[in-house]
Amino acid sequence: MAAVASFLDRAAAGSALAEVLASHERLARCAPPLVLAIPRGGVPVAMPIARQLNGTLDVLLAHKLRAPHQAELAVGAVDEFGGIFLADHALSLGATGTYLSHESARQRALIQQRRETYTPGRGAPDVRGRPVVVVDDGIATGATMIAALRAMRRLGATPLIACAPVGARDAVARLTPLADAVICLETPEPFYAVSVAYSDFVQTDDATVVALLAMAAGHA
């Protein structure tokens, strides 16, 4: 029997997360948070969250490091602040030091290009001492979210909340030590793919990200 999708689309999933976050005790005592989406798919999820929490929507750039000859499989991730996370299985999949050096450089160049595209003329927001909610549309391996959360910890975000509509149970568990709270609405067993949780999982393009960020800024 085919799995039944839990969410109509990313916006609907974000609205469901927003309802949970609106009553979360770690956020109730804080100023309106920075809601930092991991592009591209995290941005339409984060939009209703930022509205519900009266927060500021922005992006947090972290890119997975692709396994050799398996572009869809992550062996780690890099963030836009210079950090790197390597999964335990990286070497066993052929990710040598030389390969990782080239792949990291490639992904950091792409991150720089995306920052210029999404927020031209300015860099990432200052998060020190500010409540931050990091949002993605799903957690498969957890690599990009791990890199993102580690970056936010280094830079002093507090409290730090990680959230996604759906995720693999073991990947979500690995996030627990990295944030003050981790909220994931669905952790199906077995976990097949993030896309299975959505009726509409059309790819989010750069133009949509730019438009949503502009829309959020217009409502600020």
Side-chain angles (χ1 to χ4, degrees):
M1 181 180 296
V4 177
S6 300
F7 309 104
L8 173 62
D9 55 17
R10 291 180 178 88
S15 295
L17 275 170
E19 291 298 320
V20 176
L21 288 162
S23 58
H24 198 279
E25 60 180 357
R26 294 307 298 263
L27 293 172
R29 303 189 296 268
C30 299
L34 280 169
V35 180
L36 300 183
I38 298 176
R40 292 176 289 203
V43 179
V45 179
M47 183 78 166
I49 294 173
R51 285 178 174 172
Q52 178 77 32
L53 301 180
N54 294 314
T56 300
L57 178 65
D58 209 322
V59 289
L60 170 54
L61 299 177
H63 279 199
K64 71 179 180 182
L65 298 173
R66 304 166 302 166
H69 314 299
Q70 300 182 71
E72 294 303 312
L73 181 60
V75 295
V78 292
D79 65 64
E80 64 181 306
F81 309 99
I84 184 169
F85 159 71
L86 291 179
D88 294 338
H89 59 264
L91 187 57
S92 67
L93 290 175
T96 64
T98 300
Y99 173 83
L100 289 169
S101 177
H102 288 299
E103 176 67 1
S104 297
R106 181 180 188 278
Q107 295 305 326
R108 287 197 169 109
L110 291 172
I111 283 174
Q112 185 174 4
Q113 292 173 13
R114 279 192 171 176
R115 176 56 75 181
E116 283 298 314
T117 297
Y118 297 156
T119 60
R122 68 171 177 82
D126 182 7
V127 303
R128 183 167 301 279
R130 299 184 67 178
V132 168
V133 179
V134 181
V135 184
D136 206 349
D137 60 2
I139 299 166
T141 66
T144 52
M145 182 63 84
I146 288 172
L149 294 177
R150 285 182 169 184
M152 292 297 93
R153 278 296 194 215
R154 291 196 311 272
L155 296 172
T158 182
L160 177 60
I161 311 295
C163 67
V166 62
R169 190 168 300 176
D170 58 342
V172 172
R174 287 194 289 271
L175 305 179
T176 302
L178 305 178
D180 296 304
V182 178
I183 298 169
C184 188
L185 301 181
E186 302 281 347
T187 53
E189 287 284 354
F191 178 86
Y192 296 111
V194 168
S195 60
V196 174
Y198 294 86
S199 297
D200 177 358
F201 198 66
V202 64
Q203 185 177 22
T204 305
D205 58 19
D206 285 339
T208 299
V209 172
V210 171
L212 290 173
L213 290 173
M215 190 183 306
H219 283 83

